[in-house]
């Protein structure tokens, strides 16, 4: 998806050829050398990281990406291409969390039988890039985000933990999941502390968040669209089978 976007931008019939640079974070062995080289020809660097449990590469590449986004101005257009798996690959833990906390969190969530939609409600609360964090950090640059969904119902705020979509889940909802799945004696204490503070100070925490990056108006100039999902894939396969 990143390669196709770069090709479209560079081939567009405009007066000026856009200056493009970018980064891809994907799962190990999910890109050939030809694909890596083709992306590099468009000034897009491909990075590998771990899935479904984040590793040190996930955090390092995510930190590099967010640092780049922080430097942008209002004349910049950010094109994000997001698919399932992004919650582990794009991992930027909130302070004071680190890799050990995020790895433990993902291991516990995967083991407890929690559906991906509920997992991502929790993930959004402990990661600065999730729950709209990517768009907030990129502000005042404008963002267009294209999403490939692997989640039934295509909830844009939960696919890859919604890095470009305002977080509509409350801290109380997140803590309810801790209770429902019996995680209060399993999750790292630092994660529990963040969730408890959010639950106990819902109004104060939300007010503090809303003041960052000129309130939630940061989302007014950005757009997130669904470009593919399981239903479309099944429909395309059915159509192709009729031809064969």
């Amino acid at each position: 998806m990143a390669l196709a976007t770069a090709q479209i931008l560079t081939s567009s019939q405009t007066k000026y050829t856009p200056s493009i640079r970018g980064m891809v974070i994907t799962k190990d062995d999910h890109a050939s050398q030809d694909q890596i080289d083709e992306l590099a020809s468009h000034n897009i660097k491909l990075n590998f990281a771990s899935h479904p449990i984040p590793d040190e590469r996930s955090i390092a590449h995510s930190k590099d990406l967010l640092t780049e986004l922080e430097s942008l101005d209002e004349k910049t257009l950010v094109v994000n291409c997001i698919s399932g798996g992004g919650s582990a690959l794009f991992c930027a833990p909130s302070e004071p969390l680190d890799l050990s906390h995020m790895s433990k969190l993902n291991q516990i969530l995967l083991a407890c039988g929690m559906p991906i939609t509920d997992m991502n409600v929790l993930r959004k609360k402990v990661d600065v890039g999730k729950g709209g964090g990517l768009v907030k950090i990129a502000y005042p640059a404008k963002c267009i985000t294209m999403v490939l969904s692997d989640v039934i119902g295509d909830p844009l705020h939960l696919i890859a933990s919604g890095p470009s979509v305002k977080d509509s889940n409350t801290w109380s909802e997140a803590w309810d999941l801790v209770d429902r799945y019996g995680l209060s004696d399993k999750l790292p204490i630092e994660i529990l502390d963040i969730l408890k503070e959010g639950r106990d100070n819902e109004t104060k925490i939300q007010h503090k968040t809303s003041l960052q990056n000129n309130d939630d108006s940061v989302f007014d100039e950005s757009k997130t669209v669904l470009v593919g999902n399981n239903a479309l894939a099944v429909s395309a396969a059915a159509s192709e089978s009729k031809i064969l």
Side-chain angles (χ1 to χ4, degrees):
M1 193 159 52
L3 178 57
T5 301
Q7 291 171 335
I8 291 170
L9 289 174
T10 55
S11 64
S12 59
Q13 299 299 312
T14 59
K15 184 176 180 180
Y16 302 103
T17 301
S19 173
I20 295 175
R21 67 182 187 274
M23 175 191 297
V24 173
I25 307 175
T26 192
K27 185 178 178 180
D28 286 317
D29 301 321
H30 272 55
S32 67
Q33 188 58 52
D34 287 344
Q35 290 171 322
I36 295 172
D37 293 342
E38 181 66 16
L39 283 168
S41 72
H42 292 283
N43 200 27
I44 299 174
K45 182 180 180 181
L46 188 143
N47 300 288
F48 291 108
S50 177
H51 178 276
I53 307 297
D55 62 6
E56 63 278 359
R57 297 171 300 167
S58 308
I59 291 181
H61 299 322
S62 300
K63 181 179 179 180
D64 289 344
L65 175 58
L66 294 178
T67 298
E68 178 75 13
L69 292 175
E70 285 179 326
S71 68
L72 304 180
D73 60 26
E74 68 279 0
K75 297 179 181 179
T76 304
L77 174 65
V78 178
V79 181
N80 304 304
C81 303
I82 295 172
S83 64
S87 292
L89 296 168
F90 179 54
C91 183
S94 303
E95 293 183 355
L97 307 181
D98 58 23
L99 174 60
S100 65
H101 300 106
M102 304 307 279
S103 297
K104 187 68 172 177
L105 170 67
N106 281 272
Q107 290 170 354
I108 292 171
L109 296 183
L110 289 167
C112 76
M114 185 180 290
I116 187 63
T117 48
D118 287 346
M119 289 172 61
N120 289 351
V121 170
L122 285 170
R123 285 164 159 170
K124 287 191 292 181
K125 299 304 184 185
V126 295
D127 189 305
V128 298
K130 295 176 171 55
L134 185 148
V135 167
K136 289 184 177 183
I137 291 170
Y139 186 83
K142 297 177 176 63
C143 294
I144 295 176
T145 303
M146 297 179 288
V147 179
L148 281 175
S149 171
D150 64 341
V151 180
I152 295 174
D154 309 320
L156 294 177
H157 68 295
L158 293 175
I159 301 167
S161 300
S164 66
V165 182
K166 179 183 175 181
D167 187 3
S168 59
N169 294 109
T170 66
W171 290 92
S172 294
E173 288 172 334
W175 186 259
D176 285 345
L177 293 173
V178 174
D179 283 339
R180 187 188 312 168
Y181 289 90
L183 303 180
S184 59
D185 60 347
K186 297 176 182 178
L187 290 174
I189 187 62
E190 294 84 357
I191 288 179
L192 291 171
D193 285 345
I194 290 174
L195 297 174
K196 285 178 181 178
E197 181 182 7
R199 178 201 62 183
D200 295 339
N201 302 283
E202 188 89 54
T203 302
K204 181 176 70 174
I205 294 296
Q206 288 183 338
H207 178 63
K208 180 180 178 182
T209 301
S210 70
L211 293 178
Q212 295 175 355
N213 289 332
N214 295 335
D215 201 2
D216 290 326
S217 62
V218 297
F219 296 101
D220 293 344
E221 298 296 326
S222 295
K223 184 73 173 179
T224 298
V225 296
L226 181 72
V227 296
N229 59 10
N230 292 328
L232 289 172
V234 170
S235 177
S239 298
E240 186 65 21
S241 67
K242 293 177 181 178
I243 297 174
L244 298 176

